[in-house]
Amino acid sequence: MSHRVIDRPRRTLVLLVLAFGLLAACSGDDPTNLGRIVGGDLPQNSLDPAGPIAEQVDSLFWLVFWIATGVFALVSLALAYAVLRFRRRGDTDRPVRQVHGNTRLEIAWTILPAVILAIVAVPTVATLFEVRAAPGPEDDALEITVTGHQWWWEFHYPEYGITTANEMWVPVDRTVYLSLTSADVIHSFWVPRLAGKRDAVPGRINNIRFEAAETGAYVGQCAEFCGLAHADMRQRVFVTSAEEFEAWAVAQASPASIPAEGPAAAGWEVFQTQCASCHTIDGTSASGLFAPNLTHFASRTSFGGATIDNTTDHLREWLRDPSSLKPMSPDLNDLEAGRVLGMPDLGLTEQQIADLIALLESLE
Amino acid sequence: MAVTTDTAASVDSVVRPRGLWGWLTTTDHKRIGILYGVTAIAFGVVGGTEALLIRLQLATPNGEILSADAYNQMFTMHGTTMVFLVVMPAAAAFTNYFLPILLGARDVAFPRLNALSYWVFVFGGLFLTLTFFLGGAPDGGWFGYAPLSTQVPEVVRMDYWALGLIVLGLASVLSSVNFITTVLTMRAPGMTLMRMPVFAWMATVVSFLLLFSLPMITVGLFQVFMDRNLGTTFYDAAMGGEPILWQHLFWLFGHPEVYVLILPAMGIVSEVLPTFSRKPLFGRSFVIFSGMAIGFMGFGVWAHHMFTAGLGPVAEAAFGLTTMFIAVPTGVKIFNWLGTIWGGSLRLNTAMLFSLGFIFLFVIGGLSGVTHSIVPSDAQQHDTYYVVAHFHYVLFGGAVFGIFSGVYYWWPKVTGRLLDERLGKWHFWLMFVGMNFTFGPMHVLGLNGMPRRTYRYPEGLGFDMWNMMATVGAFTIATAVLVFLANWWRTRTRGEIAGPDPWDGRTLEWSIPSPPPEHNFDIIPTVVAEDDFWHRKYVEDDSGNPVAREAPVESPVSTEPIHLPSPSYHPVLAAFGIFVTAIGAVYLPWGLLAVGTGAVITMWGLFGWSMESLTRREHE
């Protein structure tokens, strides 16, 4: 699928905008700004597919789009012609033949759309079965288990024993096969440039397959309304070379090492009392399952449902008052029932916060 | 009973209260129709304000007008309000007012039941709207997907939502039974089903759709309510429940509901286009049968709302194909409307402009609907603004434009005065341009990856400019609505007097005075053809052109006494009892007292109602 097909309509749309004479809104500065980390001007554009499956779906869309545009043009031209040609001029009505119908014409315009739709139906069904098929052994697919939580994603690589949150690493040109489920309500996994969305439903496992043809970072967004912070439940997919991916996987699979002294060690003390019942750090006694696994937290570019860039300032703000960066309702948490609606305000002192940041930034 | 001879007919001498009490106790289908219309406009202002707040919030990236919590309430209530409290009652307004008249009847089959359904609807609407002042409005989406809607039982918002929809559903079932009975039993002599005006046909299809689809969502809503309050686990996967069950039940209702919203508008357009083209509806029986086909097929496409839920490729292919083919009967209607205006003498007044706008916008909405049936590609569009664009082209460009067409068309019949045409055209063009500005860019937004139901979006995703356009468009629509309200206010006393037949109409409502007398027809007309009134005014010459008839002889004077339904306060009482019961049910177990009180009030209303006609007859 060449990109030329995609660019043309986009150019038309841009022209349309200029015709409307509206200017883009000015931009400000905000921690939840993630557009810039990704290449391209429209980083989660479904019309800009970055892999074979997304391209297949995209070309199917354009086929139907152009047919629909043709039908629209014909109908609206006929409508415009009829209105201009037959509008009444002056005050008096001219006599109008009382035509009640024309059976042959009516049968024709019933059958014609049916035929067009039947033609569209063939590639639709063919593509549907193709993209839904599970990968065979020859595909050497990378399997990842994805669990939706309110309001973050958990990615588990059974092959490597890695668990990470909100950020997924995959190798380029290799089939990736996701098994999706949910820990609470329905979420939907969607990285538009790689594949269409698929729901993560509690009690079920849904699958989705994609393959990235270019290295880079791809962003996405939970697409099924999942409560308060639905808008702030995003995900990032990093596509790397096979070697880079293997190196990343090996590094991630190694347990964390907690520094024995210094602020990070003090941070570990705080972590054990304040954080360990919800968060896990592999290789330590912290093994809570309600919140993101933080084993290699410092290697992540973002946190808070991939909406907040991972910087010291943002971490400090987060630890002072988590709800200031992302809406949550931790007062409704019910750990016994397994319901977690966000990180509570722990009432940490500035010293504790500094120590925790030191710990988190040591978790390479 | 005294028989008066100086009027054409004699109406029984039941005392009809005036003022507020008159409106509360009315059983006249016309007054109930007006009540529905005014209520729909009032709720329309509420739903429109919610829409404007949503658009203000999204106008710029990282919008800060609303919190996430407030935004979620806004979009939930915007959807719920517009579907259940604006478009449905607006259509019910026309059906209540005009269905009996179009059929040549004096009232609906069950006038007091009609009053009950109105009052149940009003209290259901109040029940939902009051939640803004009772700790927050429902915030789980108008689709209420489980298990999100069953989550957090200690917050009552979704209890209000579930019970509110059950109450509103009750109102719709009662109306549906009433309308179906009216159509089947109260048509004037000679009015065969195929001579029935297309609007009456569409109202009938809608009534059947509601009758068959509402039980499905009602079951689901009760399950949600029980999961939340009584410890059942219908939708709790950890306890063996199935979240997808809710989606099936909801969309088995929710998809036919789309046709409930659009078919009345199609009926209106099928009345307006012939009148202002001076031609009969082209291929009338095709339009009627395609309406029925849409109704039937509407029950076979629900799972196209679930193409990302994981039903498996076989089910997805089947529902994709049925969805595609529902475009066929819909297309037939478009072509028939084109055939109707083709060769006519088009009078481009406001009512006609809204109908023509309807066709144009509905074609866009229909075609984007076809792109959703392409299952693999729908996985990209599902739950994005592309879908929002699609269904607003159908439900705003379609249903709302159709309804406004009906407003301008039938206003003179209801009020006796014409709406101002100059203001009307301002209204139309502002709304048409505003609508395209608002929902056109949403196609681009959705394809560019903007999901629905998100209260903010980061900059740098290419959403900013399109969102700003949509917000500007939304305020243009709001301006258009203000122009309409101004038009209403202005022409209330100063509007041109309409007379009985201002448009040279084709159907029976134009044969009676404007506004119609309480008994509609002095003498029940005998119908000999479709567009019966037209044929009373015109004959066709050899080449099919109409020639005006000689003025008809004075109608014979009837001495038949006319019995009209008596006013009654029992329907409003029974409806109020249901309202009290519902409020109590939200606050179980403490609310049990209110549940009991409400039940007693309802029983009181229903008992008094059932005794009422008996006592009346004794007094006669």
Side-chain angles (χ1 to χ4, degrees):
Chain A
M1 179 94 268
S2 83
H3 280 244
R4 232 165 283 135
V5 183
I6 297 150
D7 287 343
R8 204 180 309 133
R10 202 194 291 163
R11 215 163 34 227
T12 321
L13 294 172
V14 170
L15 282 174
L16 259 175
V17 179
L18 291 175
F20 280 126
L22 276 171
L23 294 169
C26 309
S27 49
D29 192 38
D30 196 278
T32 59
N33 180 12
L34 34 111
R36 288 191 194 134
I37 65 148
V38 191
D41 47 343
L42 299 175
Q44 64 183 47
N45 188 349
S46 71
L47 300 181
D48 191 6
I53 290 172
E55 270 173 17
Q56 222 177 341
V57 169
D58 186 62
S59 56
L60 193 59
F61 171 78
W62 284 113
L63 168 74
V64 181
F65 176 84
W66 289 118
I67 291 175
T69 306
V71 173
F72 168 70
L74 286 177
V75 174
S76 50
L77 281 179
L79 181 66
Y81 175 80
V83 170
L84 294 176
R85 166 86 174 69
F86 300 113
R87 75 178 189 279
R88 197 174 72 172
R89 297 172 182 84
D91 282 340
T92 46
D93 285 310
R94 56 191 168 77
V96 172
R97 263 192 71 206
Q98 300 293 294
V99 183
H100 287 268
N102 180 330
T103 311
R104 221 177 292 169
L105 198 60
E106 286 160 45
I107 290 174
W109 69 41
T110 311
I111 291 176
L112 204 69
V115 170
I116 295 176
L117 290 169
I119 292 170
V120 176
V122 176
T124 300
V125 176
T127 312
L128 168 66
F129 279 89
E130 227 174 292
V131 301
R132 285 280 192 275
E138 73 283 0
D139 288 318
D140 181 32
L142 172 68
E143 294 193 21
I144 304 175
T145 309
V146 181
T147 308
H149 296 263
Q150 283 170 311
W151 293 275
W152 55 282
W153 291 101
E154 181 179 327
F155 301 125
H156 179 67
Y157 295 64
E159 210 180 311
Y160 299 90
I162 303 169
T163 304
T164 171
N166 300 320
E167 297 188 355
M168 178 194 279
W169 284 55
V170 298
V172 71
D173 290 332
R174 181 170 164 195
T175 303
V176 180
Y177 194 57
L178 304 184
S179 297
L180 298 150
T181 190
S182 166
D184 35 52
V185 302
I186 300 174
H187 304 274
S188 193
F189 183 85
W190 186 36
V191 181
R193 294 190 61 200
L194 297 178
K197 55 190 78 64
R198 204 86 178 127
D199 290 357
V201 183
R204 283 188 170 223
I205 292 169
N206 281 339
N207 297 106
I208 187 174
R209 190 162 59 101
F210 67 82
E211 187 184 322
E214 300 160 37
T215 59
Y218 299 87
V219 290
Q221 154 85 55
C222 173
E224 185 60 78
F225 181 63
C226 56
L228 186 63
H230 167 59
D232 289 344
M233 179 168 171
R234 307 186 60 93
Q235 61 264 24
R236 296 179 181 182
V237 175
F238 296 100
V239 178
T240 65
S241 67
E243 301 77 49
E244 245 182 295
F245 172 76
E246 285 300 329
W248 173 84
V250 169
Q252 294 283 314
S254 64
S257 55
I258 305 293
E261 53 193 42
W268 170 241
E269 295 299 320
V270 181
F271 193 93
Q272 279 174 299
T273 56
Q274 299 282 0
C275 317
S277 59
C278 290
H279 290 279
T280 292
I281 299 178
D282 288 336
T284 74
S285 58
S287 57
L289 295 174
F290 297 117
N293 182 312
L294 300 177
T295 308
H296 295 280
F297 180 78
S299 71
R300 295 187 199 147
T301 65
S302 64
F303 66 95
T307 56
I308 305 159
D309 288 337
N310 189 359
T311 67
T312 309
D313 286 344
H314 293 159
L315 268 180
R316 191 177 301 117
E317 216 175 318
W318 176 262
L319 289 170
R320 278 181 189 150
D321 179 9
S323 298
S324 67
L325 290 182
K326 179 178 173 180
M328 295 184 285
S329 36
D331 44 322
L332 295 173
N333 286 354
D334 182 352
L335 299 191
E336 272 168 39
R339 189 179 71 222
V340 181
L341 295 170
M343 177 158 145
D345 186 350
L346 299 167
L348 302 167
T349 65
E350 285 302 309
Q351 185 58 47
Q352 286 175 314
I353 289 172
D355 293 343
L356 275 176
I357 291 173
L359 170 73
L360 290 169
E361 290 183 342
S362 77
L363 298 172
E364 293 284 349
Chain B
M1 178 179 298
V3 175
T4 47
T5 48
D6 54 335
T7 56
S10 60
V11 181
D12 57 5
S13 57
V14 174
V15 181
R16 274 155 224 290
R18 309 209 153 264
L20 184 63
W21 187 246
W23 286 102
L24 280 172
T25 58
T26 185
T27 51
D28 177 358
H29 71 96
K30 293 183 290 298
R31 299 192 98 190
I32 290 172
I34 291 169
L35 284 172
Y36 265 111
V38 171
T39 316
I41 290 171
F43 281 125
V45 171
V46 175
T49 309
E50 287 156 359
L52 291 179
L53 285 170
I54 290 171
R55 281 317 322 165
L56 273 180
Q57 164 75 7
L58 295 180
T60 54
N62 293 309
E64 284 174 355
I65 308 231
L66 299 175
S67 67
D69 183 32
Y71 182 86
N72 293 344
Q73 295 175 44
M74 285 304 155
F75 85 74
T76 300
M77 288 304 287
H78 170 68
T80 308
T81 304
M82 287 304 189
V83 169
F84 293 99
L85 306 180
V86 181
V87 176
M88 280 176 80
F94 291 118
T95 312
N96 266 291
Y97 200 104
F98 288 105
L99 183 67
I101 302 180
L102 289 170
L103 299 178
R106 291 215 166 95
D107 208 317
V108 292
F110 308 116
R112 281 180 303 175
L113 191 69
N114 206 21
L116 178 69
S117 28
Y118 171 73
W119 290 110
V120 171
F121 152 71
V122 170
F123 282 118
L126 283 178
F127 182 77
L128 278 171
T129 312
L130 283 177
T131 53
F132 278 113
F133 309 102
L134 299 171
D139 57 355
W142 90 278
F143 46 91
Y145 272 15
L148 182 64
S149 57
T150 62
Q151 201 183 41
V152 203
E154 57 268 43
V155 175
V156 295
R157 296 172 177 185
M158 290 312 278
D159 290 312
Y160 273 106
W161 179 80
L163 287 171
L165 291 199
I166 290 172
V167 172
L168 290 170
L170 174 66
S172 294
V173 167
L174 297 178
S175 306
S176 300
V177 170
N178 206 346
F179 292 149
I180 290 169
T181 316
T182 306
V183 165
L184 293 182
T185 63
M186 301 198 44
R187 300 191 309 278
M191 179 166 285
T192 60
L193 284 174
M194 290 312 287
R195 283 179 189 163
M196 210 161 70
V198 174
F199 177 76
W201 256 110
M202 294 307 124
T204 312
V205 174
V206 164
S207 299
F208 276 108
L209 283 175
L210 283 171
L211 198 60
F212 293 138
S213 68
L214 277 165
M216 250 102 57
I217 191 179
T218 307
V219 166
L221 290 166
F222 271 116
Q223 289 172 345
V224 165
F225 184 78
M226 288 193 281
D227 268 14
R228 293 178 58 82
N229 295 287
L230 305 176
T232 58
T233 57
F234 290 104
Y235 301 121
D236 183 352
M239 303 291 283
E242 173 56 281
I244 299 293
L245 171 64
W246 166 261
Q247 297 188 19
H248 284 296
L249 289 172
F250 180 81
W251 290 116
L252 260 165
F253 155 80
H255 197 82
E257 174 68 16
V258 173
Y259 300 110
V260 167
L261 301 173
I262 192 67
L263 283 170
M266 290 178 159
I268 291 170
V269 169
S270 303
E271 301 297 326
V272 170
L273 290 173
T275 298
F276 297 117
S277 307
R278 298 183 60 76
K279 277 183 69 201
L281 187 64
F282 192 88
R284 210 181 122 81
S285 51
F286 262 64
V287 174
I288 291 171
F289 283 114
S290 66
M292 291 162 80
I294 291 172
F296 279 111
M297 292 169 81
F299 281 100
V301 298
W302 78 90
H304 71 206
H305 298 265
M306 302 159 64
F307 280 159
T308 66
L311 303 177
V314 175
E316 286 165 357
F319 281 100
L321 296 182
T322 51
T323 304
M324 255 177 220
F325 284 96
I326 209 162
V328 173
T330 319
V332 165
K333 278 193 153 57
I334 301 278
F335 291 127
N336 277 300
W337 291 326
L338 283 175
T340 306
I341 60 174
W342 203 270
S345 174
L346 309 188
R347 198 169 154 190
L348 297 178
N349 58 14
T350 311
M352 185 67 163
L353 285 177
F354 270 108
S355 275
L356 294 169
F358 168 100
I359 299 178
F360 178 81
L361 299 168
F362 187 79
V363 168
I364 298 176
L367 288 169
S368 63
V370 174
T371 65
H372 292 308
S373 69
I374 314 301
V375 184
S377 145
D378 179 70
Q380 288 285 20
Q381 299 143 21
H382 179 81
D383 269 343
T384 67
Y385 270 86
Y386 188 86
V387 175
V388 180
H390 156 69
F391 71 74
H392 279 93
Y393 267 86
V394 172
L395 294 181
F396 194 96
V400 173
F401 271 61
I403 284 167
F404 273 121
S405 184
V407 166
Y408 281 88
Y409 180 58
W410 277 318
W411 191 274
K413 179 53 60 185
V414 176
T415 63
R417 288 177 190 272
L418 294 162
L419 282 168
D420 183 70
E421 273 297 310
R422 205 172 50 88
L423 284 175
K425 284 184 176 147
W426 271 102
H427 172 195
F428 170 76
W429 285 110
L430 280 172
M431 196 164 252
F432 185 77
V433 171
M435 135 99 217
N436 284 296
F437 250 92
T438 311
F439 304 113
M442 290 187 188
H443 291 109
V444 187
L445 277 173
L447 296 172
N448 283 357
M450 179 158 169
R452 303 164 73 176
R453 300 157 187 156
T454 49
Y455 79 104
R456 64 176 175 184
Y457 55 91
E459 57 184 284
L461 295 180
F463 301 160
D464 313 8
M465 172 181 62
W466 303 107
N467 272 303
M468 182 53 87
M469 277 174 68
T471 302
V472 170
F475 279 86
T476 314
I477 294 175
T479 314
V481 173
L482 289 179
V483 171
F484 165 70
L485 294 175
N487 199 350
W488 173 12
W489 189 253
R490 226 181 90 83
T491 50
R492 214 169 29 100
T493 50
R494 273 186 282 173
E496 197 186 322
I497 301 288
D501 185 18
W503 313 125
D504 197 8
R506 311 181 71 88
T507 35
L508 289 175
E509 75 272 32
W510 306 110
S511 69
I512 58 175
S514 310
E518 196 169 6
H519 54 283
N520 295 347
F521 297 94
D522 291 343
I523 294 175
I524 297 293
T526 301
V527 174
V528 296
E530 59 201 40
D531 291 344
D532 192 71
F533 185 51
W534 174 270
H535 291 288
R536 280 193 239 160
K537 295 187 287 186
Y538 297 95
V539 287
E540 284 171 35
D541 66 13
D542 293 340
S543 52
N545 295 323
V547 181
R549 269 185 209 271
E550 309 258 313
V553 285
E554 276 299 304
S555 315
V557 173
S558 165
T559 51
E560 284 280 304
I562 298 169
H563 175 72
L564 284 177
S566 333
S568 168
Y569 62 85
H570 290 113
V572 66
L573 193 65
F576 178 70
I578 292 170
F579 176 67
V580 174
T581 305
I583 287 192
V586 173
Y587 298 103
L588 288 175
W590 304 281
L592 265 177
L593 186 66
V595 172
T597 313
V600 169
I601 298 174
T602 307
M603 294 313 291
W604 177 20
L606 294 179
F607 182 74
W609 173 339
S610 59
M611 302 308 287
E612 196 172 51
S613 52
L614 234 155
T615 50
R616 174 87 53 202
R617 205 154 289 152
E618 280 165 8
H619 283 295
E620 285 172 356

